[in-house]
Amino acid sequence: MIKEGSYLFVEGQRAVEPYRGKYAVKVPDVFDRVRQGWAAAGLDPDSPYLPMRIEMELTTKCNDACQTCGMGALADGRTLTDGQLRFLLDQFTSIGLPSLAITGGEPFTAWRALLVLLEGARDRGIDISKLTTNGIWGTSRRCGPVFDRLEKAGFLDGRLFVPLLMLSIGEQTTPLEDVARILHHAVTHYTVQDLNVAVSSLADPATREHKVDELMAVYEKAHGDFPHDRAHSTMRVYLNNERLDGQAAVNRPGQTPVSRWMDHCFDCFAPTVGAYVLPTSLMKQDGCWYSCAAFNVPEKLAFGNLLREPARNVLARANDSTYIARVRAGRGLKALHDVVPSSYTENTTCTSFCDSCALLIGQHDKITGERTGHLSAPVIPAASLLTRVQPTGSVQ
C-alpha cells in the first residue's frame, strides 16, 4: 500500500505534481487557484487561517456501534436537513472554500442527504476531496449501482482535487468481503485521474493490531493480487471521545511529555496537498466549526456555529485568535515554547497531539489573559445525544 506521507507538497517549497499522493490535485497551480478563490470572496489570502477544506460531519448516525468510535457516532443519530445543507453550502461559497471532506457517522446511512450534498457542492464549484465510509454499501447488489449514482451526483467532478474514497476498517462489523468489493470496483473502473482510494485502519491502542492484512487476504482470495499501487494507507489508533457518554475506555500505553508532542507537530496551517489537505477544519453535525480537523480536536478551537452565524464572522474570529496566530507564525505547536515554560511542558504528560494542544491552549490563555474559542460554539451536551441502540439503518 502507498504510505500516507508520500508526495507531500507544501506551498512554496517545491512544484506540485498533479495526480500524486493520497489527496492528489489535478492542476500544478492549485495554490494559486485557491488563493484566487479567497481573493474573489473578498478575503485576504495571507490571513493567518483560511481553510482549504472543511471536514463535514454530515450525520452522527451510523449502522455500527463501535465502542471506541472516535467520531462519536450513534446508531440513532442526527443528520443535517436539506435546508441546512443548502444554507451551509452557500456559507462555504461565501468564503471561497475550495473543497469538502464528507464524514460522519456513516454518510451512507444518510444516503439521500449525501446526494443532496454532493449535487449542491458540484453546482457551486466546491470539490469533494474525500468521502469516508465503513463500506455498508459494498454488497454484490449495491456496490456497482451506488458507484454509478455517486458519479451522477458529481462525486468525480472536482476541478482541483482528485476525490478520495476512504474505506474505514477496525471495530466495524461490515464484512471485509464488502470492503474488498468496493476497493476492487474503484481500482478497476476508475484511473488515478478519476478517483483515489485509501484504507483507514484503526487499531486498538493496547494491541496495535490492524485488519489490513486480513483485508488483503480477503481481497486476494476474491479478486487476485491486492492493488498496492492504488491503495493509500491511513494507520491510526482509537482515541477517547467526550461526546459519547459511557464510551469504552481507551488505554493507550505510554505517557509522553507535552514538549515532545509540540516538537513533532506539523504546521497544520501551512497550505499543503498530496499527503494532506491543509489548512483544514471540522464542522460537526450541530454546526460547530473548528479551526483544525485533527481526530480529537480540542473544543476550544471552535470559533462559532455555521448554522447560527455567517461563516465570514466565524472565520474573522478565528483570525483574531492570538493562539492561532502564534501557532501559524511559529509553524506548529513548537511556537508555544515561547509562551509556556518548559517546567510545564517537560513535566506534563498526555497521549496525543490533540491532548497536548488542549493543554497548551489552557496554559496559553492563563499566561496571556486571552480566551481561545467562542461561546457561540458549545460542546454537544451528553444528555442531548440519543442513547446507543442495536445497529440499524442501511443504504436506501
Side-chain angles (χ1 to χ4, degrees), residues 26 118-119 121-123 125-128 150-163 194:
K26 297 182 176 181
L118 290 174
E119 292 167 354
R122 175 198 59 200
D123 295 344
I126 301 173
D127 286 12
I128 304 300
L150 291 174
E151 187 172 346
K152 182 179 179 181
F155 179 45
L156 307 183
D157 294 346
R159 300 167 297 115
L160 303 178
F161 290 90
V162 178
D194 302 319

Side-chain angles (χ1 to χ4, degrees), residues 239-306:
L239 298 174
N240 287 310
N241 190 305
E242 296 177 356
R243 294 177 60 191
L244 288 182
D245 190 25
Q247 180 192 34
V250 174
N251 297 312
R252 187 173 183 176
Q255 292 289 312
T256 303
V258 169
S259 58
R260 185 175 179 185
W261 292 112
M262 294 167 67
D263 293 338
H264 289 83
C265 181
F266 55 83
D267 185 357
C268 60
F269 297 144
T272 300
V273 295
Y276 315 102
V277 179
L278 296 172
T280 189
S281 64
L282 170 68
M283 195 209 76
K284 292 185 178 179
Q285 183 274 336
D286 66 343
C288 287
W289 195 19
Y290 299 75
S291 59
C292 180
F295 200 72
N296 204 26
V297 59
E299 290 293 342
K300 283 193 174 182
L301 288 182
F303 286 90
N305 189 297
L306 296 184

Side-chain angles (χ1 to χ4, degrees), residues 98 177 183 378 385:
E177 290 82 0
L183 178 59
L385 292 174

Side-chain angles (χ1 to χ4, degrees), residues 9 15-20 23-34 127 158-162 273:
F9 303 104
V16 174
E17 298 178 49
Y19 306 110
R20 295 282 190 175
Y23 297 108
V25 296
K26 297 182 176 181
V27 293
D29 60 342
V30 60
F31 294 124
D32 291 337
R33 296 197 189 195
V34 168
D127 286 12
R159 300 167 297 115
L160 303 178
F161 290 90
V162 178
V273 295

Side-chain angles (χ1 to χ4, degrees), residues 28 34 39 62 70 98 100 121 126 129-130 134-135 148 183 199 207 216 219 224 254 269 283 292 317 339 371 390:
V34 168
C62 187
L100 278 174
I126 301 173
S129 63
K130 181 176 70 172
N134 63 22
D148 292 342
L183 178 59
V199 177
T207 64
M216 290 180 182
Y219 185 99
F269 297 144
M283 195 209 76
C292 180
R317 194 176 295 131
V339 178
R371 184 175 65 80
Q390 291 299 314

